[in-house]
Amino acid sequence: MPRPRVLSGVQPTGALHLGNWLGAIRNWVALQDSHDTYFCVVDLHAITVPHDPARLAEDTLTTAALYLACGIDPQRSTVFVQSHVSAHSELAWLLNCVTPLNWLERMIQFKEKAIKQGDQVSVGLLDYPVLMAADILLYDADLVPVGEDQKQHLELARDIAQQRINARFAPRDAAGEPIPVLKVPEPLILKDGARVMGLTDGSSKMSKSDPNEGSRISLLDPPELITKKIKRAKTDPTMGLEFGNPERPEADNLLGLYALLAGKSREQASQECGAMGWGTFKPLLAEAAVEALRPVQERYQQWRQDPGAVEAVLRDGQAQAATVAEETLDRVRQALGFLPRS
Ligand code: AQP
């Protein structure tokens, strides 16, 4: 039996943080043993909001090196850069032409990000979910790990594949049965999918693009900076740490972070810290964060010491990814009726 195929990616929009690690990459690492895993750095997505061209290449390389440092193993996973496989852009165009505009206008993430950008909002931002659908559908992914914020986009990818491509363009076999053009992927809802909130506001998610650096812990922050950020993290006047109290989002978030970083269950963390004051808890959390990130930072330095090593992984990944992607793209071109290339 072939292993179910999984695809996921992170945008190189800045320094990866604890949310990207604990909510996404850490789970990808675990999937490598049981699934056929494809992980890309989604640089085409990163330019859907204003970006700095002087940083894009370096951020892309850093993101790829962090995948490797977090435990993505190029022997077991295909690691590549989205823009290196041009099939992503081409399939996105083909899918654009069959996707109703109002499906995109409904997307919550577009509405939220568009508000922030006013008149400057790009067509690319509106089209983000179609590009994401192309990313997934190109690899015949069976499963896509999704957090709450990406569920709507995955649903859209499924609708495009099923209703807009397969239902309209599937060729027929000898018995007249349709042969699906695209595989319709399922969401992979992770059992311990963590949603990490910001350090300066326990009710908004930790994010690369938050202008306040102190709101996030980046995976490459040195120990002193991690300790300083945790020391300054927002607290409340109540004694003791607890989960699930809607009045205390910071307590819930930081206690959850402690459990994940120290490798303890939520019950263990509650028991240990339930009666602690913030002054005792924060150094404990800082130490757990520093220790959890130490091996990641060490491995990152090793990868970056050899400038060609990460590029070599990405070159191999590109070759492997492009082979699969081109096959799918060819199926779609044929189904849509294009003149075959000679
Ligand atoms: N705070 C978070 N908690 C848990 N998971 C998170 N992810 C992001 N933030 C958190 C997960 O990381 C993966 C990649 O995210 P992305 O780079 O594609 O974009 P994003 O979700 O929009 O992440 P950011 O950091 O907030 O980036 P910007 O600021 O550029 O928009 C996804 O699996 C996501 O769920």
Side-chain angles (χ1 to χ4, degrees):
M1 276 287 281
R3 294 169 163 206
R5 184 170 291 164
V6 167
L7 176 122
S8 200
V10 173
Q11 305 179 70
T13 35
L16 264 58
H17 50 71
L18 283 182
N20 298 129
W21 185 36
L22 300 172
I25 302 171
R26 182 186 59 130
N27 302 315
W28 303 352
V29 173
L31 288 170
Q32 295 180 111
D33 291 330
S34 45
H35 293 71
D36 179 18
T37 40
Y38 281 66
F39 300 119
C40 54
V41 181
V42 287
D43 54 348
L44 295 171
H45 284 278
I47 65 163
T48 57
V49 291
H51 82 286
D52 178 357
R55 289 217 51 86
L56 183 60
E58 181 57 23
D59 285 347
T60 302
L61 213 51
T62 305
T63 303
L66 276 170
Y67 285 5
L68 301 169
C70 289
I72 299 299
D73 173 3
Q75 304 300 325
R76 290 183 290 161
S77 292
T78 303
V79 182
F80 65 103
V81 175
Q82 183 190 29
S83 68
H84 292 179
V85 180
S86 56
H88 289 254
S89 311
E90 188 173 343
L91 183 61
W93 175 256
L94 301 181
L95 300 182
N96 272 334
C97 296
V98 296
T99 304
L101 181 60
N102 66 15
W103 285 12
L104 299 180
E105 288 167 337
R106 286 205 290 266
M107 295 292 116
I108 295 162
Q109 186 175 296
F110 171 70
K111 289 188 202 162
E112 285 174 357
K113 290 198 173 175
I115 288 169
K116 289 190 201 150
Q117 292 181 37
D119 287 349
Q120 295 304 310
V121 64
S122 70
V123 176
L125 188 65
L126 178 70
D127 204 27
Y128 179 113
V130 179
L131 179 59
M132 180 171 153
D135 301 337
I136 298 165
L137 299 173
L138 272 178
Y139 296 96
D140 288 334
D142 297 285
L143 295 164
V144 182
V146 277
E148 206 49 52
D149 50 345
Q150 293 294 338
K151 266 192 193 153
Q152 200 188 21
H153 289 169
L154 182 64
E155 209 41 58
L156 184 97
R158 288 168 49 82
D159 289 346
I160 293 174
Q162 186 55 45
Q163 297 175 30
R164 295 283 152 167
I165 297 287
N166 291 347
R168 292 179 169 191
F169 299 106
R172 305 270 159 179
D173 65 13
E177 291 301 316
I179 308 166
V181 183
L182 293 169
K183 179 170 267 181
V184 181
E186 298 290 333
L188 178 62
I189 311 286
L190 294 157
K191 224 171 36 274
D192 13 84
R195 186 163 167 80
V196 179
M197 311 311 268
L199 297 183
T200 44
D201 175 3
S203 48
S204 67
K205 78 164 192 161
M206 189 175 281
S207 171
K208 293 184 229 96
S209 55
D210 189 320
N212 183 355
E213 276 269 344
S215 68
R216 61 184 163 267
I217 292 176
S218 298
L219 300 188
L220 297 175
D221 280 348
E224 319 75 65
L225 186 57
I226 294 175
T227 308
K228 191 163 116 191
K229 285 179 176 175
I230 291 178
K231 202 167 168 190
R232 292 191 179 161
K234 187 175 172 197
T235 56
D236 59 33
T238 307
M239 180 78 180
L241 275 293
E242 62 181 324
F243 284 120
N245 182 343
E247 308 284 303
R248 304 189 64 206
E250 285 77 25
D252 182 274
N253 184 42
L254 296 183
L255 187 58
L257 263 183
Y258 174 67
L260 288 166
L261 293 168
K264 300 188 174 176
S265 69
R266 287 164 72 87
E267 293 69 33
Q268 284 170 329
S270 287
Q271 264 185 6
E272 185 184 347
C273 310
M276 262 180 205
W278 288 100
T280 315
F281 173 71
K282 280 186 165 182
L284 193 69
L285 173 60
E287 194 191 322
V290 167
E291 287 313 313
L293 287 176
R294 190 187 305 281
V296 172
Q297 297 185 349
E298 284 171 3
R299 284 196 297 266
Y300 176 81
Q301 294 309 338
Q302 285 163 11
W303 276 104
R304 291 312 299 265
Q305 264 157 26
D306 179 355
V310 181
E311 278 102 330
V313 168
L314 296 176
R315 241 188 338 270
D316 290 351
Q318 176 195 348
Q320 163 67 17
T323 306
V324 178
E326 278 300 328
E327 266 182 41
T328 310
L329 184 57
D330 229 37
R331 281 201 316 267
V332 180
R333 284 197 203 108
Q334 277 181 38
L336 266 55
F338 285 93
L339 179 69
R341 297 173 185 200
S342 51

